Each structure stands twice: as C-alpha cells, then as structure tokens.
C-alpha cells in the first residue's frame, strides 16, 4: 500500500508523519540535493542571473542545496528575442555557466508557451501563411536548443497546453496564439522539431493544476490524460511530464490516493515524471508564522511522499529557493495584504532552513530508488 491518504484540514495536517529536525539544527550541512541523491534523484530551483550577480548569500545557498537549476524567466522568448531574429541569451548564459562551474544539471524553460512572448510575435503569426507560422514557432526551438547543446539536459518543450475552462471539448487551451495559428498540431510539431535538432535532452510536456483534490484539478487531469492518449497515438516524442506542483492548501484540498493514481496513469505511458515548479501558497493560513510553517510542511510532506513513491519521479525543483525572491509575495492572488513575505519555499528570507526544508529532506530520505529513464 502507498503511504496513508492525506485529507485536507487541520486534523489531517497534524496527523501527517513527524518531520525530523533539519541538518542545520543537528549540526549537519548536507543540502537537499544530497538527500535527493540517496534514491538517484535531483533537487533544484528556478533562479535569476541577477540573483547570482548581486546576492552572494543566495548564490551560496543555491550551490549548497541544489544539483539542478532552471531559469525563472531568462529562456522565455519575451526576454530572449525582443525583436525578430535578434537574441539576448546573456542571462541564461550566466545561469548555465554557474551550473557548469558547480557540476549541476540544467533545465531549459520554456520553448513553446502561450505567455511571455515578445509583442511582435502574435501580429506576425496573424499575418503569416501556414508554413511561415510553423517557422515562427520552430525558429526559436532551433536557436535555443542548438545554443545549449550538451549543456541543457532537459527542456520544457510545450508548457501549459491544457485549460478546460476555455470551453473546448478536448480541454485544450483555446486562448493561445499557437492554437490559433496551428491547431493542436503545434504540440506535435514542437516535440518533433526538438528531437530533430538534438535528440539527447529529455523532452517535457509541463502543466499546472493537476495536483489537488478539486473539480478544477480533476478536469485538468482528465484533459492531460486525453491529450497524452492523442499524442501517443500519433507517436509524438514526449519523454516526460512536468507536474508544476504549485500547492494551495488553504484553497484546495489534497488526497494522496487520488494523486497516486494519477501518477500511476502518467507513468503507465512509459514517461518519466518530475515536479518542476514546487512551492506552497500560504495565504489564508494561520497568522502565526511558526504555526503556518508547520502546516505548510505537513502538506508538502504528504504531497512529496506520494510523488517520490512513484519510481518514475526523477526530480523536485522549487520555483525559487528562498522566500526573499518568491513570486508568491508579488502575485495578487497569493501575496499577503500586509506586505509580509510568503513562506512557501524551503529557505526563509534570511536564507535559513524552515520546516518546509525538513519536509523535503524527509520525503527524499524515505523515497524508494528511482527508475532509470534516459539521460
């Protein structure tokens, strides 16, 4: 049997497995990556080049805790190609160089997404014929993958392709320039092109809102599975599914058994799995930060126990490492109205380890060995 079912609510939060004190509290210094390696996995975080340049404490924390990094925004096309064919990869270059200096793996995020696009692109798509529309998409795939050949080991090829709330019967995201330009074929084209340019990196299909026990997430899980059925039938070269893992425990519940079944369904396609953007929104929790930290840690432990119990799960990456730089503190739906920092990442604003760090470490320590799956 899998680890016990977790039910939302205060009673269930207190019922979760006890979390041991952090390594820092008992005199150890091993980072989360060391805990991940025990079962053959990786731990990492999304970072910005500016943080590496300007914040030595943060840079030291990344070097200590991570063995994988991903660009928070500096490989999104709106940043790297502000004008057609004129590229600026300087930020991504700095992140990749940092990863190489520290012996870390690097992810690439993201080649094809409906958002964070340069303002010139959508008008160009609308004015173009079918062949040119395809080229407008694949030109970025070509440029980015070739630039980082041998340096980036896995790519988010297509990010956030589903959105049942848009009203399509198939659950695909309708409000997308790529869907408008190419139909669902855009997903096939992107994955085939990524493999043609460089077959070595793992190719990920990533999405959010497939974690919680809610009607919203159930619709999204169904849409993801139906999309995979279609992609597999067309022999689209998807290697892995990235589950973003943005948890909102004070808004939506979590059910371990249901999430475990979904992960089994995903891995049943022969795909690898990763948690690619993990964090925990704490708005709506207790006003006492210490109490809130404990509840957040319990939710995270329940989630990660299930995720890492699946042998296809390769890694856990947080969307940030320290509360000092969390997007949750700035996003209107999740930021605290009194201006306090969100506490949804492993390190607090002073780079100190929190109960969430302990939860991640404990989940890695308890995880079975990872199934071997490619690069």
């Amino acid at each position: 049997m899998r680890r016990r079912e977790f039910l939302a609510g205060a009673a269930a939060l207190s019922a979760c497995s006890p979390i041991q004190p952090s390594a820092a509290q008992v005199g150890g210094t091993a980072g989360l990556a060391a805990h991940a390696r025990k079962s053959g996995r990786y731990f990492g975080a999304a970072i910005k080049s500016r943080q590496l340049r300007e914040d030595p404490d943060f840079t030291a924390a990344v070097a200590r805790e991570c063995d994988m990094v991903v660009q928070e925004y500096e490989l999104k096309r709106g940043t790297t190609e502000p004008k057609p064919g004129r590229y600026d990869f300087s930020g991504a270059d700095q992140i990749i160089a940092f990863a190489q200096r520290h012996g870390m793996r690097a992810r690439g995020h993201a080649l094809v997404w409906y958002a964070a696009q340069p303002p010139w692109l959508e008008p160009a798509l609308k004015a173009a014929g079918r062949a040119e529309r395809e080229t407008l998409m694949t030109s970025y795939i070509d440029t980015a993958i070739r630039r980082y050949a041998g340096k980036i080991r896995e790519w988010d090829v297509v990010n956030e392709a589903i959105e049942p709330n848009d009203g399509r019967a198939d659950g695909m995201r309708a409000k997308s320039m790529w869907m408008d330009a190419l139909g669902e074929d855009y997903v096939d084209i992107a994955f085939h092109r990524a493999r043609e340019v460089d077959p070595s990196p793992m190719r990920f299909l990533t999405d959010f809102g497939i974690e919680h026990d809610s009607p919203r997430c159930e619709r999204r899980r169904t849409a993801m599975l139906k999309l995979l059925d279609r992609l597999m039938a067309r022999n689209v070269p998807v290697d892995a599914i990235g589950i973003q893992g943005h948890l909102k425990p004070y808004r939506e519940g979590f059910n371990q058994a249901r999430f475990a079944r979904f992960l089994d369904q995903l891995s049943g396609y022969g795909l690898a799995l990763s948690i690619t953007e993990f964090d925990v929104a704490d708005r709506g929790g207790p006003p006492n930060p210490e109490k809130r930290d404990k509840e957040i840690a319990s939710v995270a432990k329940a989630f990660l126990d299930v995720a890492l119990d699946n042998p296809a799960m390769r890694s856990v990456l947080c969307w940030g490492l320290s509360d000092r730089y969390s997007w949750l503190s700035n996003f209107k739906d999740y930021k605290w109205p009194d201006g306090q920092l969100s506490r949804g990442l492993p390190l607090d604003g002073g780079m100190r380890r929190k109960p969430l760090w302990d939860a991640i470490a404990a989940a890695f320590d308890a995880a079975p060995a990872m199934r071997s799956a490619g690069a």
Side-chain angles (χ1 to χ4, degrees):
M1 292 182 63
R2 290 184 180 273
R3 300 181 179 100
R4 69 183 180 278
E5 180 171 307
F6 177 84
L7 301 175
L13 287 167
S14 63
C16 288
S17 306
I19 299 168
Q20 297 301 313
S22 70
Q25 292 172 310
V26 297
T29 58
L32 288 170
H35 291 268
R37 284 194 292 271
K38 294 178 182 180
S39 59
R41 293 178 167 88
Y42 302 92
F43 174 79
I47 60 176
K48 299 176 182 177
S49 63
R50 175 178 56 80
Q51 295 161 354
L52 299 179
R53 294 193 305 270
E54 299 177 2
D55 191 336
D57 292 338
F58 178 80
T59 302
V62 174
R64 180 182 67 245
E65 302 289 351
C66 300
D67 57 5
M68 181 181 282
V69 292
V70 63
Q71 319 77 27
E72 187 167 341
Y73 71 90
E74 287 165 295
L75 269 177
K76 293 172 181 173
R77 195 170 182 176
T79 298
T80 57
E81 194 182 0
K83 295 184 179 180
R86 297 181 60 180
Y87 296 97
D88 179 3
F89 288 107
S90 57
D93 286 350
Q94 292 173 52
I95 292 170
I96 300 303
F98 173 84
Q100 291 187 303
R101 285 196 305 272
H102 290 86
M104 297 178 177
R105 295 168 70 95
R107 304 190 77 247
H109 174 83
L111 293 172
V112 179
W113 190 26
Y114 74 94
Q117 300 291 348
W120 60 266
L121 182 56
E122 189 166 11
L125 283 168
K126 290 179 177 178
R130 167 76 190 202
E132 188 179 355
R133 293 198 296 270
E134 184 172 327
T135 299
L136 283 167
M137 184 180 74
T138 59
S139 63
Y140 189 64
I141 297 172
D142 296 353
T143 301
I145 291 182
R146 285 174 179 149
R147 183 179 187 88
Y148 297 109
K151 298 178 180 179
I152 286 180
R153 304 287 292 277
E154 51 190 63
W155 282 96
D156 291 341
V157 177
V158 174
N159 188 44
E160 299 177 0
I162 60 171
E163 183 46 82
N165 287 343
D166 281 357
R168 287 178 58 101
D170 59 8
M172 292 294 288
R173 182 178 294 278
K175 299 173 183 177
S176 162
M177 66 175 68
W178 303 116
M179 184 65 82
D180 287 343
L182 299 165
E184 189 178 299
D185 283 351
Y186 88 86
V187 179
D188 305 46
I189 295 165
F191 277 95
H192 282 293
R193 188 56 165 252
R195 183 174 64 177
E196 290 168 6
V197 176
D198 185 354
S200 299
M202 292 194 74
R203 295 171 293 275
F204 277 72
L205 176 68
T206 53
D207 227 304
F208 69 93
I210 49 181
E211 305 88 358
H212 285 284
D213 183 20
S214 67
R216 176 187 78 99
C217 289
E218 186 61 25
R219 291 192 298 272
R220 295 183 63 82
R221 286 190 287 270
T222 298
M224 173 63 80
L225 293 173
K226 288 183 176 179
L227 173 59
L228 285 173
D229 286 340
R230 299 192 299 274
L231 296 178
M232 297 299 103
R234 299 195 296 260
N235 295 314
V236 178
V238 179
D239 297 318
I241 299 297
I243 298 163
Q244 291 185 10
H246 295 295
L247 301 185
K248 301 181 286 296
Y250 299 109
R251 299 188 181 193
E252 294 179 283
F254 178 68
N255 181 296
Q256 281 188 308
R258 184 159 294 169
F259 187 54
R261 286 196 297 271
F262 178 61
L263 296 183
D264 285 343
Q265 289 173 301
L266 293 177
S267 60
Y269 290 94
L271 301 172
L273 306 174
S274 286
I275 306 299
T276 56
E277 300 187 17
F278 181 63
D279 52 29
V280 189
D282 66 339
R283 184 174 174 183
N288 183 310
E290 291 184 3
K291 187 174 190 301
R292 195 163 73 242
D293 281 354
K294 291 178 181 178
E295 292 186 355
I296 290 298
S298 293
V299 173
K301 180 68 161 49
F303 172 77
L304 292 173
D305 275 349
V306 174
L308 295 169
D309 198 37
N310 191 302
M313 188 64 65
R314 297 170 52 83
S315 57
V316 175
L317 284 93
C318 292
W319 205 245
L321 184 64
S322 163
D323 297 334
R324 184 180 296 180
Y325 299 118
S326 175
W327 73 284
L328 294 169
S329 295
N330 299 309
F331 190 73
K332 62 181 179 63
D333 290 343
Y334 304 130
K335 67 181 181 180
W336 286 85
D338 61 3
Q340 66 176 293
L341 292 178
S342 174
R343 297 182 64 83
L345 291 170
L347 307 182
D348 70 10
M351 303 298 159
R352 294 176 293 268
R353 293 168 173 175
K354 307 200 322 260
L356 180 55
W357 187 100
D358 302 323
I360 298 170
F364 275 130
D365 289 345
M370 182 185 75
R371 183 180 74 201
S372 178

